[in-house]
């Protein structure tokens, strides 16, 4: 019986293993992690896969987060240039799965100890009764603050929007610095204020658009007031760099951000002493408190010529050992419950802070259109923050865009 006849039966041809158990060929992985702080750790881990499977070559390719989703869709659609494995953001996964671009993983070597995955992390990997990815990291948002500035101003961490304003006023008065950097070019930074007013973008249960209801209008008013009152500063463009620079240089006392910002933030002069970085829940609004759930999965391209090695790669990259290493080196949150018990992880202050935050993070609807809700929202969010439209009009326009996108939703 020739080896080919023992093929893994998944129709993989060329380059892949021939079911002889010994994996071989190339696995190209598109990683979207941040260059300069996260990428080197993921690249090293990916290449270490070859230690376990000497005949497999991992081709690590870093693709910027903002480009990867459409780049993958274009490559998958044209049938050329798509990677074997993609780091698929939680909202991209149902989109890719719906388009048929991902290999279902049920019954393959990609899925090991599925019960060990946090339920809320696994949720975004499920679509139409099948599993299309493996959860890699889960995240949410909190208030990062500069303890030195807080001490100098004699203030405590704000728990509510009102306290955020009074604390920022005191920081300004005592130190001349602005309290909060509020990212203005990414609507993800609007969500905790939306949840704080008891609002949300949509209600997927009742198929209702809710961004333009009174809670949505109130949330737009809240963020506008933070900027108009001087409690927060913002930019209409280049928000990530402006936010990180302002906070790392000690120009602002607080920013709202997530675990993916920790490694880069520690590189800032203000946080050479890591103990100077404080972390706290996002402030509560008038009707509640909450931060969004985000994160990334690892998915296998349906057209991969090397499915067996890709399944094994995905399982390895989401294994307890690799997740422990990533948590230790980058303070990113594991998606496996068992990893939180490891001493390296349990001692990490950022992880012990974010785990309960992630446990109660507001889950978003894992529908194909979920990710597409951000582009129309950010247009209005930025315009409200820069006085180019009113909270009422911004909410209304966002709602209209959503109803065009979500046919037959109320
Ligand atoms: C607009 C986008 O809206 C949504 O994205 C939401 C997202 O759904 C939210 O969850 C949230 O993501 C968190 C994320 O969970 C959190 O982990 C972190 O990620 C870190 C990594 O941790 C870090 O390692 C590194 O990678 O860097 C990552 C990023 O920092 O922070 C993210 C928030 O930044 O917020 C996103 C919105 O930003 C859509 O999904 C699209 O992405 C859409 N962009 C498309 C737009 C197309 C043209 O219109 C263009 O042609 C297309 O190519 C673009 O894709």
């Amino acid at each position: 019986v020739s080896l080919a006849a023992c093929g893994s039966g998944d129709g993989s041809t060329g380059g892949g293993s021939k079911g002889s158990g010994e994996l071989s060929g190339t696995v190209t992985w598109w990683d979207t992690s941040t260059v300069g702080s996260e990428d080197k750790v993921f690249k090293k881990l990916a290449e270490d896969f070859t230690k376990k499977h000497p005949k497999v070559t991992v081709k690590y390719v870093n693709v910027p987060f903002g480009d990867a989703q459409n780049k993958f869709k274009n490559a998958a659609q044209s049938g050329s240039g798509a990677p074997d494995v993609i780091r698929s953001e939680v909202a991209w996964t149902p989109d890719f799965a719906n388009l048929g671009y991902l290999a279902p993983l049920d019954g393959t070597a990609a899925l090991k100890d599925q019960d060990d995955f946090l339920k809320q992390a696994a949720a975004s990997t499920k679509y139409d009764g099948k599993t299309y990815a493996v959860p890699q990291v889960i995240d949410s948002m909190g208030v990062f603050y500069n303890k030195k500035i807080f001490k100098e101003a004699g203030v405590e961490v704000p728990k509510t929007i009102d306290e955020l304003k009074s604390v920022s006023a005191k920081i300004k008065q005592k130190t001349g610095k602005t309290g909060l950097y509020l990212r203005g070019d990414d609507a993800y930074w609007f969500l905790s204020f939306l949840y704080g007013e008891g609002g949300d973008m949509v209600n997927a249960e009742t198929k209702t658009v809710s961004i333009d209801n009174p809670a949505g209008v109130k949330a737009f008013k809240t963020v506008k007031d933070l900027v108009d009152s001087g409690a927060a500063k913002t930019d209409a463009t280049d928000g990530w760099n402006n936010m990180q620079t302002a906070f790392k240089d000690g120009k602002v006392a607080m920013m709202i951000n997530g675990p993916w910002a920790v490694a880069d933030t520690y590189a800032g002069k203000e946080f050479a002493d890591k103990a100077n970085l404080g972390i706290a829940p996002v402030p509560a609004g008038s009707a509640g408190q909450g931060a969004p759930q985000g994160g990334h999965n690892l998915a296998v391209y349906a057209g991969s010529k090397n499915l067996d090695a890709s399944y094994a790669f995905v399982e390895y990259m989401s294994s307890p050992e690799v997740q422990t290493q990533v948590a230790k080196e980058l303070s990113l949150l594991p998606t496996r419950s068992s990893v939180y018990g490891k001493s390296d992880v349990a001692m990490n202050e950022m992880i012990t802070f974010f785990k309960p935050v992630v446990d109660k993070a507001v889950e978003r609807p894992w529908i194909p259109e979920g990710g597409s809700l951000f582009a129309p929202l950010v247009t209005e969010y930025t315009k409200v923050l820069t006085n180019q439209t009113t909270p009422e009009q911004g909410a209304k326009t966002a709602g209209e865009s959503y109803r065009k996108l979500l046919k037959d939703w109320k």
Side-chain angles (χ1 to χ4, degrees):
V1 176
S2 82
L3 279 185
C6 311
S8 45
D10 65 351
S12 68
T13 54
S17 58
K18 293 285 172 285
S20 59
E22 176 79 30
L23 294 172
S24 63
T26 303
V27 171
T28 300
W29 176 37
W30 283 4
D31 178 33
T32 59
S33 69
T34 307
V35 173
S37 55
E38 298 178 311
D39 64 327
K40 46 188 178 298
V41 171
F42 284 115
K43 181 171 164 44
K44 170 87 177 58
L45 286 163
E47 287 164 351
D48 284 353
F49 180 73
T50 306
K51 288 191 184 124
K52 292 173 173 258
H53 304 281
K55 290 191 179 158
V56 177
T57 306
V58 174
K59 195 160 167 290
Y60 175 92
V61 181
N62 190 285
V63 182
F65 177 75
D67 305 338
Q69 183 183 17
N70 271 18
K71 200 165 178 241
F72 179 73
K73 283 162 103 166
N74 293 340
Q77 195 167 32
S78 67
S80 83
D84 296 290
V85 175
I86 176 150
R87 190 190 197 217
S88 176
E89 205 269 345
V90 286
W92 305 353
T93 308
D95 181 22
F96 295 156
N98 177 52
L99 291 164
Y101 295 158
L102 301 183
L105 302 180
D106 309 276
T108 75
L111 297 179
K112 233 186 204 159
D113 303 332
Q114 287 192 76
D115 296 347
D116 192 20
F117 288 124
L118 299 173
K119 292 276 164 292
Q120 67 273 41
S124 67
T125 69
K126 307 288 183 189
Y127 184 73
D128 205 16
K130 292 197 180 112
T131 307
Y132 283 99
V134 173
Q136 182 203 34
V137 288
I138 185 167
D139 52 47
S140 186
M141 300 179 106
V143 173
F144 287 47
Y145 64 95
N146 183 321
K147 290 180 185 172
K148 192 157 48 67
I149 300 178
F150 267 60
K151 195 159 182 297
E152 194 186 329
V155 292
E156 299 297 318
V157 183
K159 291 185 174 48
T160 65
I161 297 289
D162 290 342
E163 284 176 14
L164 173 59
K165 288 179 69 177
S166 55
V167 161
S168 296
K170 195 129 182 258
I171 288 170
K172 176 76 83 178
Q173 180 212 351
K174 296 269 184 174
T175 71
K177 295 167 192 269
T178 299
L180 172 73
Y181 185 94
L182 175 61
R183 188 171 176 184
D185 67 339
D186 189 325
Y188 197 56
W189 270 260
F190 178 53
L191 295 187
S192 63
F193 296 98
L194 186 56
Y195 302 150
E197 298 311 327
D200 202 339
M201 300 162 110
V202 295
N203 178 326
E205 308 295 309
T206 59
K207 292 199 168 192
T208 310
V209 169
S210 51
I211 188 69
D212 53 356
N213 70 16
V217 175
K218 177 89 174 56
F220 274 114
K221 284 181 176 169
T222 299
V223 291
K224 174 178 167 52
D225 177 53
L226 285 176
V227 175
D228 292 354
S229 67
K233 66 180 287 204
T234 190
D235 294 285
T237 58
D238 202 19
W240 175 260
N241 292 324
N242 290 328
M243 169 172 65
Q244 290 303 103
T245 303
F247 188 69
K248 284 156 74 176
D249 289 356
K251 297 281 188 305
V252 295
M254 294 171 270
M255 66 176 176
I256 290 175
N257 224 324
W260 66 90
V262 168
D264 180 65
T265 301
Y266 277 148
K269 67 176 170 55
E270 286 288 306
F271 305 101
D273 169 9
K274 291 186 173 176
N276 189 37
L277 175 60
I279 189 86
V282 295
S286 64
Q289 188 273 348
Q293 179 190 330
H296 302 264
N297 303 317
L298 293 171
V300 176
Y301 170 46
S304 165
K305 294 281 174 291
N306 200 352
L307 288 170
D308 281 353
S310 300
Y311 295 147
F313 178 70
V314 156
E315 186 278 318
Y316 159 79
M317 285 300 285
S318 59
S319 63
E321 299 71 31
V322 169
Q323 290 206 359
T324 303
Q325 198 62 18
V326 168
K328 194 172 144 205
E329 296 200 42
L330 295 172
S331 300
L332 297 180
L333 273 75
T335 56
R336 288 185 176 278
S337 307
S338 61
V339 176
Y340 286 93
K342 310 254 179 176
S343 59
D344 279 338
V345 181
M347 282 187 316
N348 182 309
E349 185 209 349
M350 288 296 150
I351 292 186
T352 43
F353 165 76
F354 272 109
K355 177 62 171 63
V357 172
V358 152
D359 285 344
K360 64 185 182 64
V362 178
E363 209 172 329
R364 294 135 55 189
W366 307 124
I367 54 178
E369 306 86 346
S372 309
L373 299 176
F374 287 85
L377 180 57
V378 74
T379 308
E380 301 315 311
Y381 173 59
T382 308
K383 282 172 26 182
V384 166
L385 288 183
T386 53
N387 280 317
Q388 296 171 63
T389 188
T390 64
E392 293 79 1
Q393 188 52 53
K396 186 169 178 297
T397 308
E400 284 160 2
S401 306
Y402 283 7
R403 287 189 185 88
K404 280 199 198 93
L405 194 73
L406 299 165
K407 300 267 177 293
D408 76 32
W409 283 42
K410 291 190 289 292

